Amino acid sequence: MTEKSEHHFDWQRFLRRWQEEWVPDEDDAEELAEGDTTLADLALAAPPATEAEIAAAEERLGTRLPPSYRAFLGASNGWRLDEGSIYRLGAAHEIGWFGDPFDMTPAYQQGLTERSTEQEVLLAGMWRRALQLETDSDMSYALLDPGDTDEDGEWALYVYKGWSGEFPDRYPSFQAYMQRMYQDFHSARAGLPGFVNDTTRALDADVERAREEALSGRWETARELLAEAHCYGRPRAWGMLQQLAALSHGGGYHGGGYYGFGELVDDPRYTGELVPVMAAAHLRDERPGASPRRFPLGAATDDGVTETADAILAAVRDGSYRYAPDGAFGEAVAEAWESARWGDTDTAWRVIRAALPSWSPPGPDLLAPVGLLGDPVLGPVVTRERGLELLATPRAGQDGAVPDPVPDLDPPGLCWLAETQRWNAPHGSYRCLWVEGTEPEALPGLVGEDGGAGLTAAPSRPAGWFPYDVRQPDDSAPWEDRAVLAVGRTASGWAFGFDTAPRPSEPGNFFVSPAAASRDGRAVVLWVRRGRDGVPAVFHLSVAEQGEELYAYTLRGTDVERTGPVPAALDPEQVLHDVDDADCERRLLAAVQDEFGLSLPRHALAEGILPHLTTRSWNRAPREGESYAYVTVRLGR
């Protein structure tokens, strides 16, 4: 809400409007009620300074004042501020050089290094050359720096709060500072009954316009309008702005940032959409072993919303929460959830994307289906790029241009596992099992540990923590090697289990391939252990059908151990003929994927979406006369 004509800022209009809109705050109202102060005493403005008064000040100071401050004095010779720690800006005859009375310069100069920025250097020298404007404050100083100027001749203004121990706040000009103080004046009174004026009406109209722009897919225009309205404290702006931020920044289940949504959380219409996103962000900040704690809601949140929020937090924490909106969009979300649940996140997103025009908000202040971000299965599907696509797609019956779809995330097949900087394996090893003609839910009965929990929800994890538990169960025998598999379904209908962090062992003398667990079709097991140079030290493949192993091979360097008739299309001596070491893994994976039509969903595995299963041991117990050696290392004092 600036006061610009074609060539200059209209200070008289700006200050007059500020004075006319002024209403007493609580402290002012108390003083007025006690009768010690009159409205005239609380006036913000002062009579304008004459040109002669301004010139006299400049002659005394030995410099010409910067343009916006000079023009301000010509409109009001000083100003009372009732927000912040600066209480009054002095008249032209009251201002003077600061002179660094507290000897701040050495302390700031000592912190300079060769890598210090230009702004840091300017700040260090500001204290001795600054012009002091305030005449009343809470141990704070308004300082104009003639050494920190722009192309228009404006001086930067610093506000230093002497009691805070913080760096000064910098404004590019006196005009920018006063505009910010005007915004703070509005923000402080936005919740007062009856605080309505031309400025608030115009800003509220902008908020409503932002809503229409956002629903039409023009979210960046909406963001600009809402950001301006939020600076003035308009009630609806912050909650809407945070919705746009959550989707445009990738603030999903494993994204970054915390989104509070303001007073919208107190409205039961929006609790189911917004609280799950807050809960997911809250859990990202928790550390393993820490006591569970609640996340803050608004001070005015009623008991019903608080109870609902607690239940949502508990469901998000244990992985059981599901985003379930109403109507046609809710049906599409349920379909997408089933796809993403088993790893097909690309199909899930296509379903959601196609249904976006049918989405309608439960209330006027919801701009998008933000609740997607709080779902432990669907939240990771909505990446930053997809969140931007969602925001750019018209919704709730609005018209607008439909954006181009973002590319799918999952590469086909298995060859992506050979990428040198793999996304998910700290030890450079992985192993996996595929079973043909079997649903993922059946894998616990085929390969699950005896008496185990079956499929469990993917564990929530703090941001930056590895998504899989690489530890063996406490009750394991030394020879046992139980895998913790992420379970899903391939596009061709095979159930799979993938262990991205197996123990740093390899298929050895006691190894029993779980491929033999197949009943009605084929099963394939792949186990790769990489060496320090990134080249597979061990590459194992075993294939079974109807519970009987058909063939297997284990490749160690150039040595191959075979069991059964390995097809030529899979035989490593044939596949790796004239192949460089650096390309061995990719060629072997390509042969497996082409022979069986196998694949793995990279995005679902990387984000830890898939349910987990602890298998029976991939090693058998030593038989009579067989020895087994192991080493236990304990760290401590």
Side-chain angles (χ1 to χ4, degrees):
M1 303 297 292
T2 58
E3 300 296 336
K4 291 183 179 179
S5 66
E6 184 177 354
H7 301 292
H8 70 284
F9 184 82
D10 191 338
W11 278 102
Q12 289 186 340
R13 182 179 177 186
F14 172 69
L15 297 176
R16 182 172 60 251
R17 185 178 67 204
W18 191 346
Q19 179 67 73
E20 290 173 351
E21 292 175 349
W22 182 85
V23 294
D25 60 16
E26 292 184 3
D27 292 338
D28 291 332
E30 184 176 343
E31 292 182 8
L32 289 170
E34 292 174 352
D36 297 330
T37 302
T38 67
L39 283 174
D41 296 326
L42 297 177
L44 307 179
T50 65
E51 180 61 30
E53 289 175 316
I54 297 173
E58 291 177 331
E59 182 177 0
R60 174 171 55 85
L61 297 169
T63 186
R64 183 173 177 84
L65 297 173
S68 65
Y69 181 59
R70 201 177 196 280
F72 159 76
L73 291 174
S76 178
N77 195 13
W79 193 263
R80 188 177 73 86
L81 296 162
D82 61 357
E83 298 299 331
S85 59
I86 301 295
Y87 301 152
R88 183 175 291 279
L89 298 173
H93 68 277
E94 295 175 306
I95 60 176
W97 297 113
F98 184 54
D100 195 7
F102 309 113
D103 204 24
M104 304 289 288
T105 302
Y108 278 77
Q109 288 180 336
Q110 287 174 7
L112 297 178
T113 68
E114 294 179 353
R115 291 176 291 183
S116 295
T117 65
E118 180 183 1
Q119 192 59 56
E120 289 170 336
V121 173
L122 287 172
L123 175 58
M126 180 271 297
W127 308 96
R128 290 176 180 169
R129 62 176 178 253
L131 183 65
Q132 184 176 355
L133 304 186
E134 91 293 336
T135 58
D136 187 15
S137 71
D138 178 14
M139 295 178 60
S140 300
Y141 308 91
L143 306 173
L144 275 174
D145 182 9
D148 186 354
T149 62
D150 64 16
E151 63 276 7
D152 296 322
E154 294 289 355
W155 303 0
L157 186 144
Y158 291 85
V159 173
Y160 176 61
K161 305 177 183 70
W163 41 264
S164 70
E166 300 173 351
F167 285 102
D169 297 325
R170 180 186 182 276
Y171 303 86
S173 66
F174 179 79
Q175 176 183 318
Y177 169 69
M178 288 295 282
Q179 287 177 300
R180 179 58 181 271
M181 294 303 100
Y182 176 61
Q183 292 170 345
D184 289 351
F185 152 74
H186 263 268
S187 293
R189 289 161 173 78
L192 293 179
F195 184 66
V196 179
N197 47 59
D198 289 345
T199 301
T200 62
R201 282 188 284 266
L203 289 166
D204 289 344
D206 283 347
V207 171
E208 188 56 35
R209 178 188 160 203
R211 174 181 176 274
E212 298 296 325
E213 295 285 342
L215 293 177
S216 299
R218 295 181 290 273
W219 71 275
E220 290 173 302
T221 300
R223 181 176 60 184
E224 293 178 4
L225 293 168
L226 292 170
E228 176 80 357
H230 169 61
C231 288
Y232 288 81
R234 299 318 302 155
R236 303 167 62 199
W238 179 245
M240 291 185 180
L241 196 61
Q242 287 291 84
Q243 295 172 50
L244 302 182
L247 286 164
S248 62
H249 293 164
Y253 195 77
H254 294 151
Y258 182 79
Y259 304 96
F261 303 109
E263 71 281 358
L264 290 188
V265 181
D266 296 333
D267 190 326
R269 293 176 295 178
Y270 308 125
T271 303
E273 290 278 352
L274 304 181
V275 167
V277 185
M278 298 170 66
H282 174 74
L283 293 177
R284 285 197 303 269
D285 292 336
E286 287 190 347
R287 287 293 176 260
S291 300
R293 50 190 180 85
R294 298 174 60 182
F295 59 92
L297 297 172
T301 306
D302 65 32
D303 292 342
V305 171
T306 299
E307 291 174 4
T308 301
D310 287 344
I312 291 174
L313 175 60
V316 172
R317 177 176 275 117
D318 66 22
S320 64
Y321 174 75
R322 284 190 64 172
Y323 176 59
D326 296 330
F329 184 73
E331 295 174 2
V333 166
E335 179 184 346
W337 191 89
E338 287 296 329
S339 294
R341 175 191 183 192
W342 301 121
D344 193 355
T345 57
D346 288 332
T347 293
W349 176 246
R350 287 193 289 270
V351 170
I352 292 171
R353 179 174 61 205
L356 282 174
S358 69
W359 176 81
S360 59
D365 292 343
L366 197 70
L367 303 180
V370 185
L372 284 166
L373 300 178
D375 189 299
V377 171
L378 293 178
V381 173
V382 188
T383 61
R384 180 178 184 274
E385 292 74 19
R386 287 170 171 172
L388 294 173
E389 183 183 6
L390 186 156
L391 289 174
T393 301
R395 307 173 294 282
Q398 298 295 314
D399 295 326
V402 177
D404 294 332
V406 299
D408 286 348
L409 293 175
D410 285 335
L414 303 174
C415 290
W416 59 268
L417 287 166
E419 294 173 1
T420 54
Q421 298 296 325
R422 281 201 303 117
W423 40 269
N424 68 338
H427 305 302
S429 302
Y430 55 90
R431 57 185 172 183
C432 35
L433 162 72
W434 292 267
V435 181
E436 186 179 28
T438 297
E439 289 300 310
E441 293 97 332
L443 285 184
L446 296 176
V447 298
E449 62 180 339
D450 295 336
L455 292 182
T456 59
S460 62
R461 72 184 195 275
W465 284 70
F466 191 63
Y468 299 96
D469 186 352
V470 302
R471 296 170 299 175
Q472 287 288 297
D474 293 337
D475 60 348
S476 295
W479 52 266
E480 285 189 299
D481 181 12
R482 306 185 204 177
V484 179
L485 303 179
V487 172
R489 182 194 299 118
T490 71
S492 55
W494 294 60
F496 72 81
F498 185 83
D499 180 6
T500 189
R503 291 196 303 181
S505 59
E506 61 182 71
N509 294 334
F510 301 114
F511 170 65
V512 178
S513 173
S518 63
R519 292 174 182 170
D520 301 323
R522 295 174 295 176
V524 177
V525 166
L526 193 65
W527 189 339
V528 177
R529 185 173 68 82
R530 286 180 169 181
R532 293 185 179 276
D533 56 0
V535 175
V538 178
F539 191 102
H540 170 85
L541 172 71
S542 50
V543 178
E545 186 169 5
Q546 295 182 348
E548 298 291 333
E549 185 176 281
L550 300 179
Y551 52 86
Y553 74 78
T554 302
L555 175 67
R556 294 180 177 87
T558 58
D559 297 331
V560 183
E561 300 175 6
R562 297 179 181 83
T563 303
V566 179
L570 295 173
D571 192 297
E573 291 186 350
Q574 300 290 328
V575 174
L576 299 181
H577 182 68
D578 291 334
V579 174
D580 294 336
D581 288 348
D583 204 31
C584 287
E585 184 180 358
R586 190 188 66 80
R587 288 293 187 91
L588 292 169
L589 290 170
V592 173
Q593 75 180 31
D594 293 344
E595 180 73 11
F596 301 104
L598 297 178
S599 61
L600 285 170
R602 182 173 66 179
H603 185 66
L605 290 169
E607 294 295 331
I609 296 173
L610 302 173
H612 282 55
L613 168 66
T614 300
T615 70
R616 296 190 287 272
S617 175
W618 288 37
N619 285 338
R620 62 171 175 80
R623 298 190 180 107
E624 185 177 355
E626 293 179 329
S627 61
Y628 185 89
Y630 66 95
V631 176
T632 300
V633 178
R634 299 187 184 276
L635 300 178
R637 296 181 180 179

